Amino acid sequence: MNSPQRILFICLGNICRSPMAEFIMKDLVEKAGLGGHFSIASAATSSEEWGNPVYPPARRKLLEHGISCEGKTARQMERRDYQRFDLLIGMEAQNLRDMERICGGDPQGKMRLLMDFTQRPGNVADPWYTRDFETAWRDISEGCQGLLQALAEN
């Protein structure tokens, strides 16, 4: 791995899926001894949850796996994030469309879906609506592992 990878995970509100991805990925890179090779953050495509902490069921799911998200509050993605990050990883197709709208397109091909890094491409279902935080954990964890493997191979 040559230069530090700057990754921004994105979902609708930045209180469930994208912070779970942020902190799962941080945990994975630390355990792999690669913490210094990454800068990892998360953001929302909407302003609905701006300033709110991680949703309690998402926070509990992370803590079940020994991962803290203490201090994380939701923020909205900004156009300048496109230049600040190497990869912008959305949780679902609607996120990608919103990300492209916010950033004015994706001329450098930086935007991807998290599940594209697994054998099961598609969307990470929003546990805010499904209430299924276990499936969200499994999908996000698998996606982050696949992303880390893909980055390690480059």
Side-chain angles (χ1 to χ4, degrees), residues 23-39:
F23 289 96
I24 289 169
M25 192 68 171
K26 285 178 176 177
D27 185 63
L28 289 172
V29 300
E30 284 302 320
K31 287 178 177 170
L34 298 170
H37 296 280
F38 290 89
S39 175

Side-chain angles (χ1 to χ4, degrees), residues 12-141:
L12 177 64
N14 194 215
I15 60 167
C16 294
R17 295 171 293 171
S18 62
M20 287 175 74
E22 173 185 351
F23 289 96
I24 289 169
M25 192 68 171
K26 285 178 176 177
D27 185 63
L28 289 172
V29 300
E30 284 302 320
K31 287 178 177 170
L34 298 170
H37 296 280
F38 290 89
S39 175
I40 302 164
S42 63
T45 57
S46 76
S47 61
E48 295 171 23
E49 299 290 346
W50 188 88
N52 288 336
V54 175
Y55 190 54
R59 190 169 51 240
R60 283 193 295 274
K61 185 53 69 179
L62 288 168
L63 284 173
E64 279 177 28
H65 296 274
I67 301 171
S68 172
C69 59
E70 194 63 37
K72 170 66 183 171
T73 57
R75 79 164 181 91
Q76 187 174 14
M77 180 184 184
E78 303 170 310
R79 187 180 193 101
R80 67 182 178 161
D81 285 329
Y82 194 82
Q83 297 310 320
R84 294 175 52 210
F85 290 91
D86 302 308
L87 286 171
L88 294 96
I89 308 292
M91 298 296 128
E92 63 182 52
Q94 182 62 51
N95 299 151
L96 275 182
R97 288 188 291 275
D98 292 338
M99 291 157 56
E100 289 179 357
R101 177 184 47 77
I102 291 166
C103 295
D106 182 18
Q108 296 173 31
K110 296 180 176 188
M111 296 180 185
R112 302 278 302 275
L113 286 176
L114 181 62
M115 295 304 287
D116 287 350
F117 296 95
T118 73
Q119 298 299 312
R120 302 177 296 113
N123 296 327
V124 175
D126 190 341
W128 172 265
Y129 299 105
T130 68
R131 297 293 184 222
D132 187 352
F133 286 85
E134 182 59 36
T135 297
W137 165 269
R138 252 190 343 265
D139 288 348
I140 293 166
S141 185

